[in-house]
């Protein structure tokens, strides 16, 4: 990591992040949005955190296996920060500089919610980590998919089948309720950037809500930035 985020060229692509609890439908909705942008000739990449770059994927494996938990919340936060630093500088910023949209499944709000609210890592520490890893990179839009805890947990359980739950899926209902509250608070504290979508609906209804938010807050807000591919 560098002491402060290195300078980059002008970021011409759009940066859209998806957040929410376990099984809220982020991966499903990102895929649908990427297809819709492709149909509109807007070039986009889909990526995720933790992970998204070769180095960060190694850390993802470490964290989701539960090894980070043994080290405590602060060490786990450092692991997420190290993964983000690599992902931002090798994947996200280079794509944005080229005018490519980046659709990211989880980003810094996940650290705020999971490590901050649930792990009690102090805001000052999270602020310092963000200064180093993301600098002034701010999503153009953050879509927070909101589902009742039991719905999200059922979806996540159905999807993983007989596989063991990962580090965070294994937490109890109270943990996931606090998580949902944390995301709602994040949205309330930054309403210009965040939109909360009711994700307790069928896939197409949720996708329509996501598209409406994107159209109103991003596409029509600054149309000159919608660089069409050839
Ligand atoms: N984490 C991450 C931190 O603690 N700190 C950090 O800084 C970061 C970046 C990542 C974990 O790491 C933590 C948070 C996470 O616990 P992960 O494996 O990437 O873990 O998992 P999640 O991000 O939690 O995502 P999930 O894979 O659990 O769920 P999604 O992507 O929200 O949901 P999705 O789309 O896979 O859908 C789940 C199932 O529900 C169905 C799908 O078909 C699928 O089977 N589904 C619906 N069913 C009915 N109606 C709908 N509307 C549906 N939408 C989807």
């Amino acid at each position: 990591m560098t002491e402060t985020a290195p300078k980059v060229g002008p970021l011409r692509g759009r940066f859209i992040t998806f957040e929410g609890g376990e099984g809220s439908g982020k991966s499903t909705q990102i895929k649908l949005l990427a297809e819709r942008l492709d149909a509109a000739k807007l070039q986009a990449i889909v990526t995720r955190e933790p992970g998204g770059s070769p180095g960060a994927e190694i850390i993802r494996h470490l964290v989701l296996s539960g090894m980070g938990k043994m080290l405590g919340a602060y060490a786990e936060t450092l692991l997420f920060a190290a993964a983000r630093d690599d992902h931002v500088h090798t994947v996200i910023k280079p794509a944005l500089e080229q005018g490519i949209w980046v659709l990211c499944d989880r980003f810094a709000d996940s650290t705020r919610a999971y490590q901050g609210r649930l792990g009690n890592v102090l805001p000052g520490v999270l602020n310092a980590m963000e200064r180093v890893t993301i600098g002034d990179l701010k999503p153009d839009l953050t879509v927070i998919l909101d589902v009742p805890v039991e719905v999200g947990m059922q979806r996540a359980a159905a999807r993983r089948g007989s596989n063991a739950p990962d580090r965070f899926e294994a937490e109890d209902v109270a943990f996931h309720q606090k998580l949902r509250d944390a995301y709602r608070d994040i949205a309330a504290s930054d309403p210009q950037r965040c939109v909360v979508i009711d994700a307790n609906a069928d896939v197409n209804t949720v996708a329509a809500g996501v598209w409406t938010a994107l159209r109103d807050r991003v596409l029509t807000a600054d149309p000159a930035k919608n660089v069409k591919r050839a």
Side-chain angles (χ1 to χ4, degrees), residues 4 10 23 27 38 40 42 60 71 74 95 115-116 141 148 150 153 183 202-203 208-209 211 217:
T4 52
S27 314
D38 186 56
L42 291 164
R60 174 187 176 90
L71 302 172
Y74 279 85
Q115 283 66 52
L141 179 71
E150 56 281 9
M153 290 178 84
Y183 274 120
D202 66 83
V203 169
W211 184 255
R217 289 167 174 248

Side-chain angles (χ1 to χ4, degrees), residues 22 25-28 60 84 106 111 114-115 159 168 201:
E22 312 291 316
K26 299 177 303 301
S27 314
T28 303
R60 174 187 176 90
R84 182 160 301 131
R106 297 195 179 280
T111 310
Y114 283 78
Q115 283 66 52
R159 191 210 41 209
F168 294 100

Side-chain angles (χ1 to χ4, degrees), residues 47 95 97 117 123 136 143 167 208 216:
T47 188
E97 285 178 64
R117 179 71 73 90
D136 57 3
V143 175
R167 147 87 175 88
D216 295 351

